[in-house]
Amino acid sequence: MVIEPRCGPLRAGLVARADQGEALRVRQHRIPAIIAVALAVACGASSSSPAPRPALPTRPTADQQASADRLLTGPDWYRNAVFYEVNVRSFQDSNGDGIGDLAGLVQRLDYLKELGVDALWLMPIYPTAFKDSGYDIADYRSINAEYGDMAAFEKLVAEAHARKMRVFMDLVLNHTSDKHAWFQESRSSKTNPKADWYVWSDTASRADIGSCTSGTPAVFGPSWSLDPMRGQYFFHRYYPEQPDLNYRNADVVRETLDVARFWLKDENVDGYRCDVIGQLFESPDGCTMIPETVAYIQKLRAVLDEMPEKAMASEPSNLNDSTAYFGNGSNMFHMSFEFGFGYFWGLAFSATDKKLIEDSIKKTMTYPKGSQPGQLIGSHDGVRAWQAAAAETWRYRSGALLSMTMRGTPFIYYGEEVGLRPGTQVVVDSRDSARTPMTWTRGAAHGFTTGTPWLAFGEAPDDTSVEAEDSDPESMLTYYRQLLAFRRGHAVWGVGDMRAVSLDSAQIVAFVREDASERYFVAVNMTDEDQTGSATDPLAGSATAVFGDGELAISGGSVHVTLPARGAAVFQIR
Ligand code: NOJ
Ligand code: CA
């Protein structure tokens, strides 16, 4: 859009706000509706200057929703779903004890449904000593009393299902809590029935474990600890309060597969996010995804396949390659997280270099047919997306746009949609900075609790509250709603083909998404300067920007993209 001279002051004001870090755009639809109307009135819409596009809808159309309903039915539902990772403890407290709970989550299901969430992944909600935020499970078959009881859980599942939302549990099989009855028995002597359920040794090593250590020694420390009761060392990939189960014991294999069957079959859960599942077996030749672990995962998959429409997602230990987790595309994981993007997108923006992101795009396209990446920009293990984006709203939004337009299933980390900022209080470990309570309202306790929250809120809790963002056309929440509404009901985003377009600019990430009925070109400028890029490319047709700002020219076997500073665009090709 060409700004008329008499619109100069208005334009200057908008640009000034944009320079202050707000993602306002003079061009196209990121202008709030009210300002767009003011511009049109003040500046006059003429034939030479097309009227600014109206703000993008924050709700899908009825047709989109009907299409989404079809795509979310049947065994492939998870490919077309949007997941939401819930830290139950920090989401909504219902009884004033300052701890989020299952009844609180039920109260917020309508909010999630309206946002466009189709499935929940609950961080561990089992009894725990909370040495690793619940990833130290003391009983696989019941619910942490702080969060509710089995009846409360069943109510949650029923309420979610009534809203056509599915529920994933966190399945943490590599280790238990040292408070688990199995470990208590195992440590009691060298001859008890469960003596061999964990990995014991007279020294802080064992030949068959080789040199395997914890995933992150800097966080979890040494991986052998002496148990004074049994007078032997036990192996743990994580904290000493998380002893590793011994999967070379057939009873452990049988019992853990039964645990998986229990929640799926008896409790009607829809699937699992599987914690560090590549680390079940160790050997001197390898520490992750060795053949014995692969065989176990295939058995686990067989348990899921006993029932219709169950699915599971793996947390891969190899951050840049999930190939080993997909098997032949249908005998291991339905989904695996694409950490090559999810953990490193912020670094790519800081370095203003698309390579890390392009590598991830290329890698996902090498996975076996049937594989489904899980896309994310934040989780309970990383920093808040706000930090990954170096507190730049435009980077945050571009990261989110990428995660929701690259091939795969998006996983939103709770509070990401309002731009939750890091906290400073530590209860368990430094990762608590990204596990702070959700901010629903302005003011004390932010609608999270009527009591004292178990962990202090992150920065700027008023500004990042749902209340503050709800009707603000420039808020992160509005952006997320627009993005989710934009992609809703279009199968191409979940399962369409993807290919990277290697533009002659290291600062623009670009790729094509297509299926039998639609084709899109996505381009993201990683810098705060205008950028252009060209490539020889077989793309044909004409391009229309349908989300974001920019221009795309397609002619005779080449493409030429122009993006404004901090801009990103999705073009539809017809
Ligand atoms: C991965 C989980 O995501 C992390 O939070 C936890 O500390 C380890 N696994 C151990 O369970
Ligand atoms: Ca509570």
Side-chain angles (χ1 to χ4, degrees), residues 93-101 146:
D93 176 23
S94 71
N95 62 357
D97 65 1
I99 298 175
D101 45 50
E146 291 171 315

